[in-house]
Amino acid sequence: DKIYVVGHKSPDTDSVTSAIAYANLKNALGMKEVIPAAAGDINGETKFLLDYFKVPYPEKLTDATDKKVILVDHNEMAQAVDKLNVENILEIVDHHKIGGLATGKPIFFLNEPVGATGGIIANLYEQNNIAISKQMAGLMMSAILSD
């Protein structure tokens, strides 16, 4: 089964590039079923960056019925992809205030008071000794500069 890494319903550069970079990290760690997604239409700035770094656009996910997800760049159900069951959230990586999300079981939840989720994910590459490609470095740096 696929696991979708997805940002919030108003996809900005940090949301989309964090989904891509975190899915890439998970793949490098052996989780090949993890794919990036966007919970809405990608804006012009993000399209420019994806085209510039020659990174494919993520799948558009607007209905999370029965889908397993990892949330990036948000942690509130009001901002999450439509029809998401809280029990299908496997992880959260975010830099915003904690918004009252309650799960029925423990999950990996990483929240740091930094400027962008992209910076948190860059640190996770370092912690796991995973080389950061030029494309992923460019996307994460763009998220930091944009957010």
Side-chain angles (χ1 to χ4, degrees), residues 99-119:
L101 184 78
T103 61
K105 61 185 182 298
I107 64 169
F108 178 78
F109 188 114
L110 179 56
N111 185 279
E112 294 183 1
V114 297
T117 301

Side-chain angles (χ1 to χ4, degrees), residues 39-101:
D41 293 327
I42 298 172
N43 67 29
E45 175 185 85
T46 307
K47 286 181 181 177
F48 172 84
L49 293 166
L50 296 177
D51 292 343
Y52 181 83
F53 290 109
K54 296 177 177 52
V55 174
Y57 293 6
E59 181 175 326
K60 186 175 178 180
L61 179 68
T62 57
D63 181 344
T65 302
D66 298 327
K67 298 203 171 43
K68 292 183 178 6
V69 301
I70 296 170
L71 302 181
V72 292
D73 200 35
H74 72 297
N75 68 80
E76 297 185 55
M77 290 301 286
Q79 297 177 349
V81 61
D82 291 335
K83 300 181 182 174
L84 174 61
N85 180 337
V86 70
E87 297 306 316
N88 289 335
I89 299 171
L90 304 178
E91 300 181 21
I92 299 172
V93 180
D94 190 18
H95 71 113
H96 296 100
K97 70 176 180 74
I98 298 173
L101 184 78

